[in-house]
Amino acid sequence: MQIQDLPYPDPGVPDARSGPRLLWWLGRTQLGGQVKSLAWGLLHFLSVCGLPFCVGLAVQAVVDRSGTRLAQAGGLLLMCGAGIALGDTMLHRTAVTNWITAAARVQQLLVRRTAHLGSALTRRVAAGEVVAVSTGDVEKIGWFVEAVSRFTAAAVTVVAVCAGLLVYQPALGVVVAVGVPVLALAVLPLLPRATRRADVQREKAGRATELASDTVAGLRVLRGIGGEELFLDRYRRASQEVRTAAVRSARMWSLISAVQVLLPGLLMITVVWRGVQLAREGRIAIGELVTVYSAVMLLTYPMQHFQEIAMAYSFSRPSARRAARVLSLERATDSVGSREASVPVGDLYDPRTGLLAPAGRLTAVVCGDPDAAGVLAERLGGHPAEESASVLLGGVPLDELPLDSARTAVLVQDKDPVLLSGSLRELLDVPASGAVSAEEALAAAQCDDVLDALTQASGAGEGPMEARITERGRSLSGGQRQRLALARSLVADPQVLVLDEPTSAVDSHTEARIAEGLRRLRAGRTTVVFTSSPLLLERADRVALVHEGEVTAVGLHRELVHGEPRYRAVVTRETDEEAARHDGGLAEREEIEENA
């Protein structure tokens, strides 16, 4: 896979049982790129470590006054130089390709999992954590995948050089062969502590990111209640904790770096001291001493990658663990469907609560518990929070349909819909039947003032459809965002539309007009509205009261207001005393009517 071939046609099925397993799976899926990087890495490192042998041959040729051998040494130096240049260039190219393609693969997997889970994702994982995984974490995961091949090439090179020195000059080669493993293993006792400190830093950074995301998302509300400084102080404290953790982690890594500078220096001192002794005894030539010394000095270059792989793994392991956690999430009813892809037509029925929404009618649902309303709305769309009997559409269980078909048949708009940044035209460019135009949807959702606000904010020369919407629609009020989201749902024109409190943030006059526009535009389509607004309830063909998880009353709004105390308590917000007086008044009037 090359960078120009991204995105992947199929990123594959990840092993998300743990962070290390995910890293291992990524390495296996990019085996071809790893082999290329390993080959170029070997060429580069072996060419670098071949320089001492060439220099040793040249020095010995000068000592022996041999022009032929000096010319041969020069030719070998040219070959090593060419190998260093070519190997380094191609190693960098292939390694960066491995990094980018690994990060892109993880990002595609995260996007696919996010689309698969839908609204259930943010209930199970904080939005800030999802952002952290899809940005910073994927880079650290890609770094480890990229560093593996370089480390492998460096390790092979170190082994080859040690073996070569044993053959070339056994007396000094033994010293190097014993000293190099000590250098490689000396930092191992420090790695667990460094890894723990890196994990702590990553966790604190993730919490700070989540806090920042939540603060920005609620900035308008925080300013309204005077809580802006409170949350800023919380973020300051969180950022200071991140700074402290980063300093502690950096101290440990600086200690590891110091050890890896000190020990190679001691090894070179030992080699020189032993080499001088051997030279005095006449057991080695000057060229051989220069070769061994230069080889030990240049071995520190490939051995730097031992520290890099340790750092890459320490930083990527918590990132991979977080990514694996998101990738391992499943829907409560997670299946590809046992039926063929189709969009059934008919009544919508929930066997768990007994809720029935007749086909082609506007059904309003009243729940005393807003959270229960949200859970029921998601279950009607085929996104249950837990396993339960499947909702039926035209007698067909939604669980038995492919996920795409179920989402095409039933569209759920939750009480806090998200607006993506871009133009209004792009916002309304959603999969749709084509029966409802954007202008009709905007008119039904009463978006005239929203269009004026967007046009003024975008500047002159742009039509309303080209007006720009900021990230999550933060420049708009809650009611304006709600109406734009409703217009987007109306444009989609699904067979069944489920709306959870679609007018909770608008005034009563606008709400009444929206109710009329919704009824008119959705004529002949099945619509379910979760609301306690009398303006919407009066215009519903059927109203159902859900109490303690079951439908306890069905009828028209006026009938239920007079005949169902629990319904009246939710819709009118009356207290127990008011309900008692109301019931007493009804009983008194009925008695008077009977006596008359």
Side-chain angles (χ1 to χ4, degrees), residues 137-154:
D137 284 338
V138 296
E139 292 186 4
K140 292 179 175 60
I141 292 171
W143 177 27
F144 175 75
V145 173
E146 174 256 348
V148 167
S149 55
R150 286 210 309 268
F151 164 73
T152 305

Side-chain angles (χ1 to χ4, degrees), residues 400-419:
E400 297 181 5
L401 292 174
L403 184 58
D404 291 343
S405 298
R407 288 180 170 173
T408 301
V410 183
L411 174 63
V412 179
Q413 176 182 305
D414 60 28
K415 64 183 63 178
D416 188 22
V418 175
L419 301 183

